[in-house]
Amino acid sequence: MQKGSQRGRAQAALTHLYDRSGAYNAAFVERIMPGMPVRLVRLVRRRQGLIVAKGNPKGLRAWVDLGRSDVRIANRERGCGSRVLLDEKLAECGVSRTCVAGYGREHPSALSAASLVARGAADVCVGSERVFHQVEGIDFLPLQDEWLDIALSLESPACERVADAVCRLVRTRPFRQEAGRIVGYDASCMGEVVLERR
């Protein structure tokens, strides 16, 4: 979720931010946008996990494996959902970031990180199942279901009209069917209001 949405520069922001409670998005909306009128609407569920070289030559199985001395990670940029998930899971496992080879090198997209793994320049990155289907030469180890939601500003009557229009759109059958056709996306809960604060 970008800072622009909390400063009134955007009316909507996609978010997939993991909280240690096991929930997604609502806790971050509460923290990042305190007191701001907002509606958080569910979009899709998808799987996140480890993207590894074809055949998983390092035998990676769990988050704790990223702390091994023989494993190099292609990390994502600070603030993105995959990086938040990684940081939280490392903390849960008791793995220090300083023990993760490559942690300090950030890459701007899941595709660029996965491409490094495919080329052998890194052993692993965190990404979604969809990325696995977009890059050749990699395998995917699903470790976490996550929710991709949209936070919609309710700051003004115009914002509320936009939020209502988005909600109507994502609840339509054609839109849900189209989203459900994307590999790795489950749109069965699309349109549910997760949080609303006025």
Side-chain angles (χ1 to χ4, degrees):
M1 196 154 123
Q2 299 299 317
K3 290 184 177 179
S5 60
Q6 72 184 12
R7 295 188 182 137
R9 294 195 307 246
Q11 289 178 285
L14 291 176
T15 178
H16 61 106
L17 297 172
Y18 172 78
D19 182 75
R20 242 175 250 186
S21 68
Y24 267 86
N25 305 319
F28 279 91
V29 168
E30 294 281 6
R31 280 197 303 266
I32 294 171
M33 304 171 71
M36 295 177 68
V38 65
R39 181 183 300 157
L40 184 64
V41 178
R42 183 117 299 157
L43 293 180
V44 294
R45 183 174 58 201
R46 63 184 186 179
R47 295 189 302 171
Q48 281 270 49
L50 302 181
I51 293 174
V52 298
K54 199 77 171 169
N56 191 10
K58 296 285 184 173
L60 304 178
R61 294 281 173 244
W63 299 106
V64 70
D65 293 336
L66 302 183
R68 287 177 15 200
S69 60
D70 65 327
V71 174
R72 300 163 299 152
I73 189 171
N75 206 358
R76 295 291 312 285
E77 74 278 11
R78 273 176 239 167
C80 81
S82 295
R83 174 70 172 265
V84 169
L85 177 62
L86 170 67
D87 288 347
E88 291 295 323
K89 290 299 183 179
L90 290 177
E92 287 174 20
C93 295
V95 174
S96 169
R97 299 170 191 178
T98 60
C99 295
V100 179
Y103 182 89
R105 292 182 51 218
E106 298 181 354
H107 302 280
S109 73
L111 288 175
S112 64
S115 295
L116 288 170
V117 174
R119 293 195 318 263
D123 300 308
V124 63
C125 69
V126 176
S128 71
E129 181 180 9
R130 183 169 182 238
V131 173
F132 161 64
H133 291 283
Q134 294 175 307
V135 177
E136 289 186 20
I138 57 174
D139 278 334
F140 177 66
L141 285 75
L143 294 178
Q144 177 83 27
D145 279 354
E146 74 169 8
W147 292 102
L148 180 62
D149 297 333
I150 186 167
L152 299 156
S153 171
L154 301 176
E155 285 277 13
S156 68
C159 288
E160 286 197 42
R161 286 193 295 274
V162 169
D164 290 343
V166 169
C167 287
R168 282 193 303 273
L169 173 65
V170 300
R171 289 176 181 149
T172 64
R173 187 175 181 155
F175 191 92
R176 288 174 66 161
Q177 286 177 333
E178 192 63 31
R181 286 190 189 104
I182 298 172
V183 173
Y185 281 14
D186 172 3
S188 60
C189 294
M190 184 175 276
E192 290 181 7
V193 175
V194 178
L195 168 73
E196 182 154 341
R197 185 178 59 219
R198 292 182 176 274

